[in-house]
C-alpha cells in the first residue's frame, strides 16, 4: 500500500544521551588496549623524531659546502640524499623491529587474557540473564506501575547511582565505584547479594525523582481491579487479602511480610473494616504527582517458592477510571497477570427496576452510579492507549468478570447462585459438569436477559481468555456484621493458577476446568428454555421406554401357548429329541369314553407315531430332557380334536424294475423292522421321494386286546399297475 498524500510520518524523539556510569571500566575493556596503543604511539613518535634530526643535519651539511663545478655539486647532493634515505629507512626498520620485539610478548599475553576474560564475562552475563528470565524475576514500580528487570542500584558509600550493575565492561562479578567501593554485579556473588542494595526505578529516575523499589529479587504478580464507583472493588480486595494473609498462607506453610510500613498500616485498617462489615470508598488522589491506583502489596515466602512472590492488588478509584482523568497512564495493563472487572448488578436498569422496592437502606444507598457501558468503554480505551496491538487482535491477558452483590436480592440468588447452578447441573449433567462452568454460563445469560448482551459481546471480542464469576465480597448487607465473603477467592485464584502454577500449588488452589467457555451460547429465553428442553427430553425418554416395554410384553403374549392365551410362559421349552422306535410295552385295559367319537380302524405303520406339533423356541433354552419310553396313548390324554388340514400321503414305490437303476421290486418296500430316515422319506431314486412328509394327525384308536405277545403290524398292501409295453402308443385308449 502506498503512502497517503498529505500525511507525514511523525519524527521520533531523539534518544537522551546516557550518562556515564560511576563505575571504573575493567582492564579487559579499556586499559589493556590503551597500554598497547601507548607503546605503539611512543615508538612511532621516537622514530619520527630521529628522522627529523637526520634530515635537519643533512640540510645543514649541504648548505655549508661550496663547489665550483656544477657537476661535482650535483653528484655530492645526490650522494647525500641517498645517504639520508638509507638512514631513514634504517631508522624505520629498526623502530618497527624494536616495537614488535617489545610489544609482541605483551600483545600475545594480553590477547589471551582478553579472550578468556571476554568468554567469562559473556558466560556470566548469560547466566544472569537466564536466571532472571527463567525465574521471572521482575520489579513493578509502585509510583508509575511500570515493570522492569534491571533497576538502578545506589552505592551505599557515596550514593552514586549505578545504572548497569550487571556483568559487562565495568566488571564481571564486581564493579568498583569511583569512591573505591566494590559492588556485587552478578547473582553468582552469594556473600554480598545484589538484592540487598538500594534499588531505584529507572523510569522515575529519568523523570527527575527517586522512587525506591523494594521488590528487587522477587517475582511480582500484578492484578488490577477495575469497575465503577461503589461496585465493590475495595471490598473484594479487602476480603481476599485478609483471607490470604490471616488464614490461607499459614495453613499451607507460607509466611507473609508487607511491602513497606504504609502497607502494614493499611492492612490493619482492612482487618478493622472486615470486622465491622463496612469499607470506606477509595479516596481520589488530588496530588498530581502521585498515582491514582492504590496497591495492596505483600510478599509470600516459604513453601518451596523461589524467589519470593510480591502480590500487588491495584485499586483504581471508580470516578477517575470512568472519566479517564487519572494522574498517569495505567501502565499495568501491558504487563499484568490478569484483570478483574467488578460489575454492580443493581446498577443495571432492568435489575434495578425489579428489585429496587425490596432493597434495604444500606444496599439502596450503595448502588453504583457508573453505567456498565461506560465502564467497559473506559477499560477498552485504557488498554488501547497502553498496548500497541493490531486491529481485531484480542488481548491474551485473562479477564475475570465478577457480578458482585449477589446476596442483595432474591432475584440474583435465584439466577446466579446455588439454586440455579443445581437446577442446570441436574438438567444438563454432561455439559454442566462442574459449578464454575455452570456459573460462567449463568452470568453471561443473566447479562443477556437484562439487555446487556453488547457487554458480553465486547468482552469476547477484546479478550481471548475470560471467565465470569458470581460473588459477594461482604456476604450480607453492609454494616451488619463481619465479612462473610462468597466466591471471592476463586476470582483471584483463577488468575494465579494461569500465571504462576508454582504459587497455585503452594496455596493448594483447586484445578480449574479447561472447558471451552461458555458451555452454552447465551440467548434470549435460554434460562427457562434449557431446563424445559431437558425435562421434555426426559419425558420423551420415559415414554419411549414405556412403549418399548409394552411391545416386549405384547410380543411375549403372542408367543405364549394357545391353551394359556393372554399369559406369557416363563418355563423353557425342551429341545427336540431324536426319534427312536419304542419297544413293546404292556397295554392297560381300555377305559370306555362315551363322548369319544367312533375310531376309524386303520392299520398303522410301525414307523408312524403321532407327535404333537413343535412349539416355537423361547429366548432361554433349557438343556435337553431325555424322552421316556412311548406308551399307548389313552383316549383321556388325547388333546381336543383339531380342525382337519390337508396332508400328503407317502409316495408309493413302483414294484417293477426301472431301466437305468439298480432297484428291484423288493427294494421299494421297507422291511417292517427297518427304521425310516430322519426326514421320514422312503428310499428311492425318484425326485418326489425327497419332499418332506407332513405327519398325519393322530386319530383316537381302540386298543387291541392283550395277548401276551408283541404284535407286529403288517405293512399296508400296495397297489400296482400293469407294465407298459412299447406298443402302448398305438392304442390311445389303453
Amino acid at each position: 500500500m502506498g503512502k497517503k498524500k498529505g500525511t507525514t510520518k511523525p519524527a521520533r524523539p531523539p534518544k537522551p544521551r546516557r550518562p556515564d556510569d560511576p563505575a571504573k571500566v575493567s582492564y579487559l575493556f579499556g586499559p589493556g588496549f590503551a597500554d598497547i596503543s601507548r607503546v605503539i604511539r611512543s615508538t612511532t613518535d621516537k622514530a619520527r623524531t630521529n628522522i627529523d634530526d637526520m634530515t635537519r643535519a643533512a640540510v645543514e651539511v649541504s648548505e655549508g659546502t661550496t663547489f665550483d663545478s656544477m657537476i661535482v655539486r650535483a653528484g655530492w647532493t645526490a650522494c647525500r640524499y641517498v645517504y639520508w634515505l638509507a638512514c631513514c629507512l634504517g631508522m624505520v626498520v629498526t623502530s618497527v623491529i624494536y616495537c614488535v620485539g617489545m610489544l609482541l610478548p605483551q600483545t600475545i599475553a594480553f590477547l589471551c587474557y582478553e579472550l578468556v576474560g571476554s568468554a567469562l564475562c559473556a558466560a556470566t552475563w548469560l547466566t544472569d540473564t537466564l536466571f532472571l528470565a527463567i525465574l521471572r524475576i521482575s520489579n513493578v514500580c509502585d509510583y508509575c506501575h511500570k515493570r522492569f528487570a534491571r533497576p538502578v542500584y545506589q552505592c551505599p558509600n557515596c550514593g552514586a547511582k549505578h545504572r548497569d550493575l550487571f556483568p559487562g565492561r565495568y566488571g564481571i562479578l564486581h564493579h568498583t565505584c569511583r569512591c573505591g567501593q566494590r559492588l556485587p554485579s552478578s547473582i553468582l556473588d552469594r556473600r554480598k547479594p545484589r538484592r540487598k542494595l538500594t534499588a531505584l526505578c529507572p523510569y522515575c529516575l529519568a523523570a527527575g525523582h527517586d522512587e525506591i523499589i523494594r521488590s528487587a529479587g522477587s517475582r511480582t504478580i500484578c492484578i488490577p481491579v477495575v469497575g465503577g464507583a461503589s461496585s465493590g472493588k475495595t471490598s473484594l480486595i479487602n476480603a481476599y487479602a485478609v483471607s490470604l494473609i490471616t488464614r490461607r498462607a499459614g495453613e499451607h506453610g507460607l509466611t507473609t511480610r508487607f511491602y513497606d510500613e504504609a502497607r502494614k498500616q493499611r492492612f490493619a485498617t482492612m482487618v478493622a473494616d472486615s470486622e465491622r462489615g463496612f469499607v470506606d470508598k477509595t479516596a481520589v488522589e488530588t496530588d498530581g504527582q502521585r498515582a491514582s491506583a492504590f496497591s495492596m502489596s505483600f510478599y509470600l515466602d516459604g513453601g518451596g517458592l523461589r524467589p519470593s512472590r510480591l502480590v500487588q492488588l491495584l485499586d483504581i478509584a471508580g470516578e477517575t477510571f470512568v472519566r479517564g482523568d487519572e494522574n498517569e497512564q495505567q501502565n499495568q495493563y501491558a504487563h499484568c497477570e490478569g484483570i478483574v472487572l467488578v460489575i454492580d448488578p443493581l446498577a443495571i436498569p432492568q435489575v434495578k427496576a425489579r428489585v429496587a422496592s425490596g432493597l434495604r437502606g444500606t444496599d439502596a444507598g450503595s448502588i453504583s452510579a457508573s453505567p456498565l457501558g461506560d465502564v467497559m468503554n473506559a477499560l477498552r480505551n485504557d488498554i488501547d492507549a497502553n498496548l500497541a496491538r493490531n486491529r481485531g487482535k484480542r488481548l491474551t491477558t485473562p479477564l475475570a468478570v465478577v457480578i458482585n452483590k449477589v446476596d442483595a436480592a432474591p432475584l440474583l440468588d435465584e439466577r446466579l447462585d446455588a439454586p440455579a447452578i443445581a437446577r442446570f447441573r441436574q438438567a444438563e449433567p454432561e455439559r454442566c459438569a462442574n459449578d464454575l462452568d455452570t456459573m460462567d454460563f449463568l452470568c453471561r445469560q443473566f447479562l443477556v436477559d437484562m439487555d446487556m448482551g453488547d457487554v458480553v459481546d465486547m468482552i469476547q471480542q477484546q479478550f481471548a481468555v475470560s471467565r465470569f464469576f458470581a460473588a459477594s465480597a461482604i456476604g450480607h448487607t453492609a454494616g451488619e456484621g463481619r465479612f462473610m465473603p462468597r466466591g471471592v477467592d476463586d476470582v483471584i485464584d483463577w488468575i494465579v493458577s494461569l500465571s504462576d502454577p508454582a504459587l497455585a500449588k503452594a496455596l493448594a488452589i483447586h484445578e480449574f476446568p479447561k472447558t471451552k467457555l461458555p458451555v452454552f451460547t447465551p440467548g434470549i429465553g435460554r434460562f427457562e428454555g434449557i431446563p424445559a428442553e431437558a425435562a421434555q427430553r426426559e419425558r420423551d425418554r420415559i415414554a419411549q421406554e414405556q412403549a418399548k416395554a409394552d411391545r416386549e410384553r405384547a410380543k411375549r403374549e403372542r408367543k405364549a401357548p394357545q391353551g394359556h392365551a393372554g399369559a406369557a410362559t416363563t418355563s423353557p421349552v425342551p429341545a427336540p429329541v431324536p426319534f427312536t422306535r419304542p419297544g413293546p410295552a404292556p397295554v392297560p385295559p381300555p377305559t370306555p369314553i362315551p363322548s369319544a367319537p367312533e375310531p376309524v380302524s386303520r392299520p398303522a405303520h410301525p414307523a408312524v407315531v403321532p407327535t404333537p406339533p413343535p412349539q416355537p423356541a423361547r429366548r432361554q433354552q433349557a438343556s435337553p430332557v431325555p424322552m421316556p419310553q412311548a406308551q399307548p396313548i389313552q383316549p383321556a390324554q388325547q388333546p381336543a380334536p383339531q380342525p382337519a388340514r390337508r396332508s400328503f400321503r407317502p409316495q408309493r414305490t413302483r414294484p417293477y424294475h426301472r431301466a437305468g437303476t439298480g432297484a428291484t421290486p423288493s427294494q421299494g418296500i421297507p422291511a417292517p423292522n427297518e427304521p425310516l430316515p430322519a426326514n421320514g422319506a422312503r428310499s428311492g431314486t425318484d425326485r418326489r421321494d425327497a419332499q418332506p412328509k407332513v405327519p398325519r394327525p393322530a386319530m383316537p384308536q381302540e386298543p387291541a386286546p392283550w395277548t401276551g405277545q408283541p404284535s407286529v403290524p403288517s405293512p399296508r398292501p400296495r397297489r400296482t399297475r400293469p407294465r407298459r409295453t412299447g406298443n402302448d402308443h398305438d392304442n390311445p385308449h389303453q
Side-chain angles (χ1 to χ4, degrees), residues 283-292 294 317 320 323 325-327:
V284 178
E285 184 62 49
T286 58
D287 186 6
Q289 298 296 328
R290 298 300 303 173
S292 299
F294 296 89
T320 60
R323 293 195 304 263
D325 55 353
E326 299 94 342
N327 296 333

Side-chain angles (χ1 to χ4, degrees), residues 652-685:
R652 297 183 179 90
T653 309
R654 297 180 184 273
Y656 55 85
H657 178 75
R658 177 176 293 181
T661 63
T664 60
S666 62
Q667 292 177 350
I669 303 174
N673 296 330
E674 182 181 357
L676 294 176
N679 58 356
R682 298 182 184 273
S683 63
T685 59

Side-chain angles (χ1 to χ4, degrees), residues 60-61 211 229 295 379 392 454 562 616 641 724:
E60 291 177 356
V61 171
E211 185 67 24
S295 65
L379 178 60
D454 55 343
Q562 297 181 1
R724 298 179 63 180

Side-chain angles (χ1 to χ4, degrees), residues 274-605:
S274 177
E275 292 296 331
R276 69 173 182 171
F278 185 82
V279 296
D280 297 329
K281 291 180 60 177
T282 303
V284 178
E285 184 62 49
T286 58
D287 186 6
Q289 298 296 328
R290 298 300 303 173
S292 299
F294 296 89
S295 65
M296 180 57 199
S297 305
F298 55 91
Y299 292 94
L300 292 174
D301 301 296
L305 294 178
R306 188 179 179 187
S308 60
R309 302 305 196 267
L310 173 62
V311 181
Q312 284 188 348
L313 303 176
L314 303 180
D315 183 10
I316 305 174
E319 293 82 0
T320 60
F321 175 74
V322 174
R323 293 195 304 263
D325 55 353
E326 299 94 342
N327 296 333
E328 79 291 328
Q329 287 186 344
Q330 300 301 320
N331 300 307
Q332 65 272 6
Y333 297 125
H335 56 75
C336 62
E337 277 66 25
I339 303 173
V340 178
L341 174 62
V342 182
I343 297 176
D344 184 4
L346 302 179
I348 300 175
Q350 290 195 15
V351 179
K352 186 176 182 180
R354 295 185 184 184
V355 304
S357 59
L359 296 177
R360 297 185 181 183
T362 306
D363 293 336
S366 60
I367 298 177
S368 176
S370 302
L372 183 56
D374 296 346
V375 174
M376 287 301 306
N377 290 332
L379 178 60
R380 182 179 58 184
N381 294 335
D382 285 345
I383 292 176
D384 292 341
N386 292 275
L387 298 179
R389 54 174 180 166
N390 298 329
R391 183 180 299 273
K393 186 177 180 180
R394 296 191 296 176
L395 185 66
T396 58
T397 304
L399 175 67
V401 184
V402 184
I403 299 181
N404 198 13
K405 305 179 183 179
V406 295
D407 62 307
L411 172 65
L412 302 176
D413 186 74
E414 295 173 359
R415 293 291 300 265
L416 302 174
D417 214 348
I421 294 176
R423 178 187 176 192
F424 272 78
R425 292 199 63 181
Q426 183 179 3
E428 296 288 344
E430 295 182 358
R431 302 186 69 175
C432 301
N434 54 81
D435 293 348
L436 294 174
D437 290 349
T438 308
M439 180 189 298
D440 175 86
F441 165 71
L442 291 175
C443 293
R444 296 174 190 259
Q445 181 63 39
F446 175 77
L447 294 177
V448 171
D449 291 340
M450 299 304 157
D451 200 17
M452 289 295 165
D454 55 343
V455 175
V456 179
D457 295 339
M458 185 184 301
I459 291 174
Q460 293 180 351
Q461 294 172 4
Q462 297 290 331
F463 294 88
V465 182
S466 62
R467 182 180 282 273
F468 285 68
F469 297 87
S472 177
I474 301 178
H476 51 75
T477 303
E480 295 186 357
R482 63 186 304 272
F483 275 22
M484 300 178 64
R486 295 159 49 186
V488 174
D489 291 345
D490 290 338
V491 179
I492 309 297
D493 288 350
W494 176 65
I495 297 178
V496 171
S497 64
L498 294 178
S499 60
D500 194 346
L503 179 58
K505 182 179 180 181
L507 291 175
I509 297 176
H510 61 85
E511 185 176 357
F512 287 82
K514 306 298 183 182
T515 311
K516 183 179 179 181
L517 300 177
V519 292
F520 290 101
T521 302
I524 300 298
R526 301 217 67 185
F527 182 80
E528 296 81 7
I530 291 178
E533 293 174 0
Q536 182 63 34
R537 288 196 302 268
E538 183 66 19
R539 289 192 294 267
D540 294 343
R541 185 186 63 82
I542 295 175
Q544 291 177 2
E545 292 181 355
Q546 184 65 29
K548 184 178 180 181
D550 294 343
R551 289 193 300 269
E552 293 291 339
R553 184 168 56 254
K555 186 176 180 180
R556 290 194 299 268
E557 292 177 355
R558 287 194 301 269
K559 292 181 179 180
Q562 297 181 1
H564 299 80
T569 59
T570 59
S571 61
V573 178
V577 181
F579 174 80
T580 57
R581 183 182 295 279
V587 179
T591 302
I593 301 176
S595 59
E598 184 69 21
V600 180
S601 61
R602 179 181 298 173
H605 193 277

